[in-house]
Amino acid sequence: MRKLEKKYVNELAVVGVHSAKFPNEKDTGNLNNAVRRYGLEHPVINDAEFQMWQQYSCRAWPTLMFIDPLGNVVGKHEGEMTFDAFDGLIGQMVTQFDADGALDHRPLPSTYRRSEDTTLSFPGKVLADGLGDRLFIADTNHNRIVITSLGGAVKQVIGSGEESMADGGFAGCAFNHPQGVVLDGETLYVADTENHAIRRVDLNAGTVETIAGTGEQGHTRDGRRPGRAIELCSPYDLLHHGGVIYIAMAGVHQLWSLDLDDGMAGPFAGNGREAITDGFLGAAELAQPCGITTDGVKLFFTDSETSSVRSADIDPAGRVQTIVGLDLFVFGDADGSDHHVRLQHPMGIAHYDGVLYITDTYNHKIKRVLPATRSAFTILGTGAQGHTDGAADQAQFSEPSGISFANGKMYIADTNNHAIRVADVDMGEVSTLQITGL
């Protein structure tokens, strides 16, 4: 859509209608944050009560309505649409309505205002390295990776800040809204989400190179191909284990694997259909996995659209199993065990000291998940959106999305607060990391 808006700047008017699935997304303040996070310059309507959804007889996300210059609905498309198909259709409409003299090419007035800049901008994921005294922050909307000490002093910045895709040295390379990062010695791997690519960072040499993805969004759901030749779809988080990078491939509802020895990449778990269905790795159904971790035997992942936490055996003959979570439209905020647990679009996950910890993102909480008992319990956050430090049961977050551990402390990417929060695991006290030197 962004490419179309730029190409047809004087012909195409886009109006977004936000008919939210999750309660957290119905809040106008949260919607405004999302608009800023995705850099949308067109107007967006908060259709919290589904009034416009019903008036236009919508049945699916997304639904595209095509309206002519006179205000008449002339077409409808349900589901995703490729740029080429969309571009061809808009081009034909422009030609037709220009010939009819109906198209007004004057620029539309806009009330768009760029957000005030902050030290970090919607940080999505974080990785703590206790031995190296390093914190790797995906400074997502600044299109860069920031490396600080665990105390917050900036050590390095990777990326020019340009929203682009370029390999090279730290100052000249470019990302597009990076998310998950994983460390292997002095090599950092980055899920470059909106470039649909995996990037390899040599921390000693100070260089970045692309090892998977072409820069174009793909829809491949089967088969393995050389990483540099295969198109990815919104890689969101990464895990390194046994010479393999496991990828939470949110855009096609799968987990992928990238073999670092031969460079081959392809699906590892999930058939690509959006649902919550357990079973053998290739037959299971996932729904927008956004976080991934491991205990060395199983992969654990947050399946965000089903508000669930699930596991996948590392053994290729293994299975996918749901730990907590029930369905695409079953969500909430309830601690407990088994089918009594309710989460709301969890995104971040980490395995620490034999336990899983998740960011229950839309509930603005951090929770502990116990796979053996299929239970989940709140450990940080009141559930109210805010930015409050202090005791565990008084702390407030705003859509936390990433989590990592080092030296007995939990580091949290508090996305909408543009901050990194630090929690003492034993004491339960939450503070905001003061980043200096940026």
Side-chain angles (χ1 to χ4, degrees):
M1 188 69 73
R2 199 187 314 273
K3 289 168 67 176
L4 288 165
E5 287 182 278
K6 290 179 180 179
K7 181 172 182 178
Y8 297 102
V9 64
N10 293 323
E11 294 84 21
L12 175 65
V14 175
V15 178
V17 180
H18 181 70
S19 306
K21 167 184 169 180
F22 293 103
N24 181 71
E25 295 175 329
K26 295 183 179 183
D27 179 86
T28 298
N30 293 337
L31 174 57
N32 182 59
N33 278 327
V35 168
R36 298 295 183 187
R37 186 162 66 246
Y38 293 111
L40 304 183
E41 299 184 18
H42 59 252
V44 178
I45 297 167
N46 188 1
D47 186 31
E49 303 303 321
F50 277 60
Q51 293 177 329
M52 295 197 70
W53 176 281
Q54 294 170 0
Q55 290 170 3
Y56 282 90
S57 301
C58 296
R59 301 179 301 175
W61 289 285
T63 295
L64 304 171
M65 305 298 303
F66 298 92
I67 300 173
D68 72 13
L70 302 178
N72 301 308
V73 174
V74 293
K76 178 179 182 179
H77 179 83
E78 295 178 338
E80 300 282 347
M81 192 172 188
T82 67
F83 172 78
D84 289 339
F86 213 154
D87 183 30
L89 179 58
I90 297 298
Q92 291 175 17
M93 293 174 70
V94 168
T95 300
Q96 175 186 335
F97 295 121
D98 252 344
D100 295 342
L103 192 58
D104 185 346
H105 289 267
R106 289 176 298 177
L108 294 170
S110 173
T111 59
Y112 173 77
R113 297 292 181 270
R114 188 173 298 277
S115 300
E116 180 181 348
D117 201 17
T118 49
T119 302
L120 302 176
S121 182
F122 296 103
K125 298 289 185 181
V126 64
L127 173 65
D129 171 27
L131 291 176
D133 185 31
R134 293 178 294 187
L135 192 65
F136 299 88
I137 304 167
D139 191 7
T140 303
N141 272 42
H142 282 148
N143 302 299
R144 63 187 182 181
I145 305 298
V146 174
I147 307 174
T148 73
S149 69
L150 294 177
V154 172
K155 294 186 173 186
Q156 288 178 306
V157 175
I158 307 171
S160 65
E162 294 296 318
E163 186 179 295
S164 186
M165 185 175 178
D167 290 345
F170 284 1
C173 69
F175 301 90
N176 189 347
H177 292 79
Q179 289 285 346
V181 294
V182 67
L183 187 64
D184 177 25
E186 290 302 303
T187 301
L188 183 75
Y189 297 92
V190 180
D192 195 4
T193 304
E194 294 194 21
N195 274 328
H196 311 289
I198 307 301
R199 318 290 292 280
R200 179 165 55 202
V201 180
D202 187 323
L203 295 170
N204 288 328
T207 57
V208 175
E209 64 173 323
T210 303
I211 60 170
T214 65
E216 297 296 325
Q217 184 178 17
H219 300 282
T220 299
R221 289 176 168 84
D222 52 40
R224 297 185 69 79
R225 298 173 181 81
R228 290 293 281 114
I230 194 169
E231 294 179 341
L232 310 183
C233 189
S234 301
Y236 218 87
D237 201 11
L238 303 177
L239 169 72
H240 176 264
H241 178 78
V244 176
I245 298 293
Y246 293 94
I247 308 165
M249 198 72 75
V252 286
H253 314 299
Q254 291 177 316
L255 302 183
W256 279 39
S257 63
L258 169 62
D259 192 305
L260 294 176
D261 288 334
D262 62 17
M264 299 295 284
F268 176 80
N271 60 21
R273 289 191 288 271
E274 185 180 18
I276 182 169
T277 304
D278 292 346
F280 288 108
L281 295 177
E285 295 174 331
L286 319 182
Q288 202 181 98
C290 286
I292 188 169
T293 189
T294 187
D295 65 354
V297 178
K298 292 178 180 288
L299 307 176
F300 297 97
F301 59 99
T302 49
D303 210 28
S304 300
E305 278 297 308
T306 55
S307 298
S308 67
V309 178
R310 306 175 73 185
S311 70
D313 294 321
I314 292 176
D315 183 345
R319 301 174 64 88
V320 170
Q321 294 178 300
T322 300
I323 299 169
V324 292
L326 293 173
D327 198 81
L328 280 164
F329 293 91
V330 178
F331 44 81
D333 184 6
D335 292 349
S337 60
D338 200 44
H339 63 278
H340 298 292
V341 174
R342 296 289 185 275
L343 308 174
Q344 190 183 177
H345 204 273
M347 297 182 73
I349 187 169
H351 182 268
Y352 176 74
D353 200 21
V355 177
L356 296 175
Y357 293 83
I358 65 166
T359 60
D360 194 3
T361 304
Y362 283 1
N363 283 325
H364 315 293
K365 288 183 174 183
I366 309 300
K367 294 185 178 182
R368 181 184 289 121
V369 176
L370 307 176
T373 57
R374 300 182 63 200
S375 56
F377 303 95
T378 299
I379 60 167
L380 299 174
T382 65
Q385 184 177 10
H387 189 167
T388 303
D389 290 337
D393 60 352
Q394 298 175 11
Q396 293 182 320
F397 303 88
S398 182
E399 295 192 13
S401 300
I403 185 170
S404 186
F405 287 83
N407 303 337
K409 291 187 177 181
M410 178 193 308
Y411 295 83
I412 304 157
D414 194 9
T415 302
N416 284 354
N417 280 327
H418 312 292
I420 303 300
R421 313 289 291 282
V422 185
D424 187 294
V425 177
D426 294 326
M427 300 297 292
E429 288 285 324
V430 177
S431 61
T432 299
L433 185 68
Q434 300 302 313
I435 297 176
T436 58
L438 194 60

